[in-house]
Amino acid sequence: MLGPQEQLDRLRDGVVEIIKEDELLDKLTRSVREGRPLRVKQGFDPSAPDLHLGHAIGLRKLRQFQDLGHTAVVIIGDYTGMVGDPTERAETRPKLTYEEVLRNAQTYQVQLYKIVDPARTEVVMNGDWFRTMGFADVMDLAGKYTVARILERDDFTKRFQTQQPISIHELFYPLMQGYDSVAIRADVELGATEQKFNCLVAREIQKAYGVEAEVVMLLPVLEGTDGVRRMSKSIGNYIGLAEPPREMYGKTMSIPDSMIARYYELAACLPAAELAGLKASLADPAVNPRDVKRQLARRIVSLYHGDGAAQGAEEEFDRIFSKKGLPDEVPEPAATIKGQTDLTRVWVVALLLGAGLVSSGGEARRLIAQGGVRVDGQSVPGVDAVVDLTAPRLLQVGKRRFARILPANVVLEP
């Protein structure tokens, strides 16, 4: 095992902030002296069935701790998932049922093990302890923190000042996440920078229960495929760890050129020594960013599916988007699609209207019935068909009308 300072030097890599670094060095020193691995926590609320590339940043840091001899404790928030993290929310999240949460969580363990070592991982659900708590226990937890402190967080403050509703159960979210750290006796917690408030609350909750405060390690947030908002399952701008190679490749190709270097750094594990050269290459007018993005897409698919799958995904992408019968320039319109709320299930008639490929719903239905509408080269089977727009799609209407629909260019209007 490496010495404590050597471990700390490695663990700093890619971290935005450590709270507090001297405490981490002390914990590492005691770990080496006593031969006791640190318990490193990361939690996931199963609000959707997929983990994504944004989650992988923390999972890779967990793996780094494991490779240094420590234990990863992954908490699947079956109870916090029913509340929903209020971070950066302008309104109360729709409340999921317990059945919906469990259904989403079923695939998490398989996805986790794409990155972390199963032999050094404990996977627990926070329902294991919340389910056994009585009302007196809940009131005891509620008494460990004040409403005034909770309202210090920006999202609650903004909602309070604009008289937007704040449900009582939302105020419990940081307390519940903090109690998770008590229950598993976490030494370190990993979280994105946006989770700083929740993680700091956890330190206070641990102290209130007589448990040594965890060290908080804050990691960068990865923007989604739109290049603006953080990657999010609920927004739909994510690339899932378990998605098929074709989808993963296509979604990566849809990111804005301005995000190429950031995705290489945070999603494709490019060593820091090579990142400066990549950025210099992108600044060269003679370099086509599309070629660099193809290499990025191959690299990401290879990480999760292998080199062969990456090659196959690229060939499939070229077959659909780059060759055979397409005009030299395929339009990439901004598509405002009305009457739709789910980017994964967009009604094809509404899609054709939003993309400007038809003038009316009647025209769209007629062309579909005649077999004149194709999505990614496949004939649309009927007027009730839906299309997943979380990845790029090539639309063809008749012989001469084409449009490439990119997720970043889509706006849904309910």
Side-chain angles (χ1 to χ4, degrees):
M1 177 181 286
L2 294 177
Q5 187 61 55
E6 292 175 289
Q7 292 189 48
L8 178 59
D9 292 341
R10 292 196 181 189
L11 291 168
R12 282 197 196 102
D13 184 47
V15 175
V16 176
E17 185 178 6
I18 300 175
I19 306 168
K20 299 177 178 178
E21 188 169 301
D22 60 330
E23 293 180 10
L24 179 56
L25 181 59
D26 180 60
K27 286 176 182 285
L28 290 169
T29 300
R30 282 183 284 150
S31 170
V32 171
R33 184 174 63 244
E34 299 168 7
R36 182 187 68 84
L38 297 183
R39 295 175 63 76
V40 186
K41 166 195 171 187
Q42 187 170 21
F44 300 94
D45 285 342
S47 56
D50 292 327
L51 296 175
H52 54 63
L53 294 182
H55 295 129
I57 297 171
L59 290 173
R60 285 197 298 273
K61 183 58 67 176
L62 272 183
R63 180 57 186 257
Q64 188 178 35
F65 270 101
Q66 290 180 314
D67 291 343
L68 292 170
H70 304 292
T71 301
V73 184
V74 175
I75 298 178
I76 297 177
D78 55 332
Y79 267 53
T80 45
M82 289 190 289
V83 176
D85 186 0
T87 301
E88 295 188 344
R89 298 290 294 191
E91 59 187 17
T92 302
R93 285 179 182 267
K95 192 173 183 296
L96 297 178
T97 67
Y98 190 63
E99 290 71 26
E100 289 172 322
V101 168
L102 286 183
R103 187 163 57 247
N104 289 339
Q106 286 177 351
T107 63
Y108 272 34
Q109 193 157 314
V110 173
Q111 296 175 69
L112 292 170
Y113 294 152
K114 287 179 174 287
I115 299 175
V116 299
D117 177 6
R120 288 187 173 271
T121 303
E122 297 177 17
V123 179
V124 294
M125 289 190 167
N126 57 17
D128 294 348
W129 42 89
F130 289 128
R131 194 179 299 111
T132 64
M133 292 177 74
F135 193 71
D137 299 317
V138 174
M139 291 298 96
D140 184 49
L141 173 58
K144 306 295 186 188
Y145 216 72
T146 68
V147 173
R149 293 291 304 276
I150 293 284
L151 291 179
E152 287 176 3
R153 60 184 298 166
D154 289 342
D155 30 36
F156 281 152
T157 299
K158 291 174 184 175
R159 286 165 63 181
F160 184 75
Q161 291 174 343
T162 58
Q163 297 185 347
Q164 296 295 314
I166 303 173
S167 298
I168 295 294
H169 77 282
E170 293 181 272
L171 302 181
F172 266 89
Y173 187 90
L175 303 182
M176 294 171 72
Q177 184 169 310
Y179 191 81
D180 289 345
S181 296
V182 174
I184 68 165
R185 304 189 74 83
D187 294 302
V188 179
E189 178 167 8
L190 306 182
T193 50
E194 64 190 18
Q195 291 291 318
K196 183 174 182 176
F197 181 89
N198 290 339
C199 293
L200 291 178
V201 172
R203 284 170 56 88
E204 297 302 315
I205 296 296
Q206 283 182 303
K207 293 175 185 176
Y209 279 94
V211 177
E212 182 180 308
E214 66 189 20
V215 170
V216 174
M217 189 170 278
L218 298 175
L219 303 167
V221 174
L222 179 65
E223 294 81 359
T225 52
D226 56 359
V228 179
R229 297 169 295 179
R230 66 183 178 89
M231 187 171 286
S232 167
K233 296 169 285 188
S234 56
I235 294 173
N237 63 347
Y238 71 99
I239 302 174
L241 302 186
E243 289 195 271
R246 168 183 161 175
E247 297 295 311
M248 187 175 279
Y249 187 98
K251 287 186 178 183
T252 304
M253 290 298 294
S254 77
I255 68 171
D257 293 348
S258 60
M259 286 287 107
I260 293 175
R262 189 155 176 83
Y263 268 63
Y264 263 106
E265 178 183 10
L266 298 181
C269 306
L270 187 70
E274 299 177 31
L275 193 60
L278 172 80
K279 291 179 178 178
S281 175
L282 287 169
D284 184 349
V287 174
N288 187 338
R290 182 179 176 84
D291 295 334
V292 183
K293 198 183 296 183
R294 286 168 64 89
Q295 296 169 9
L296 170 65
R298 282 200 305 271
R299 187 180 179 105
I300 289 175
V301 176
S302 293
L303 281 174
Y304 298 100
H305 296 286
D307 294 342
Q311 181 65 33
E314 183 169 76
E315 291 172 356
E316 177 72 358
F317 184 87
D318 288 343
R319 183 187 68 78
I320 294 172
F321 289 100
S322 304
K323 301 174 183 176
K324 295 184 179 179
L326 297 184
D328 291 337
E329 296 291 335
V330 177
E332 297 178 353
T336 299
I337 305 172
K338 297 183 178 181
Q340 305 296 296
T341 59
D342 185 352
L343 201 62
T344 66
R345 293 181 58 80
V346 175
W347 184 32
V348 67
V349 172
L351 170 58
L352 294 174
L353 284 165
L357 290 171
V358 295
S359 58
S360 68
E363 181 188 6
R365 290 179 174 87
R366 176 177 57 80
L367 288 166
I368 291 169
Q370 293 172 350
V373 177
R374 292 179 175 270
V375 177
D376 290 350
Q378 302 297 315
S379 180
V380 173
V383 295
D384 295 327
V386 293
V387 182
D388 182 350
L389 293 184
T390 59
R393 299 298 175 204
L394 178 67
L395 305 185
Q396 180 180 354
V397 177
K399 293 183 178 180
R400 297 181 179 84
R401 279 180 280 175
F402 294 87
R404 182 178 287 118
I405 306 300
L406 305 179
N409 292 347
V410 174
V411 175
L412 301 184
E413 289 188 355

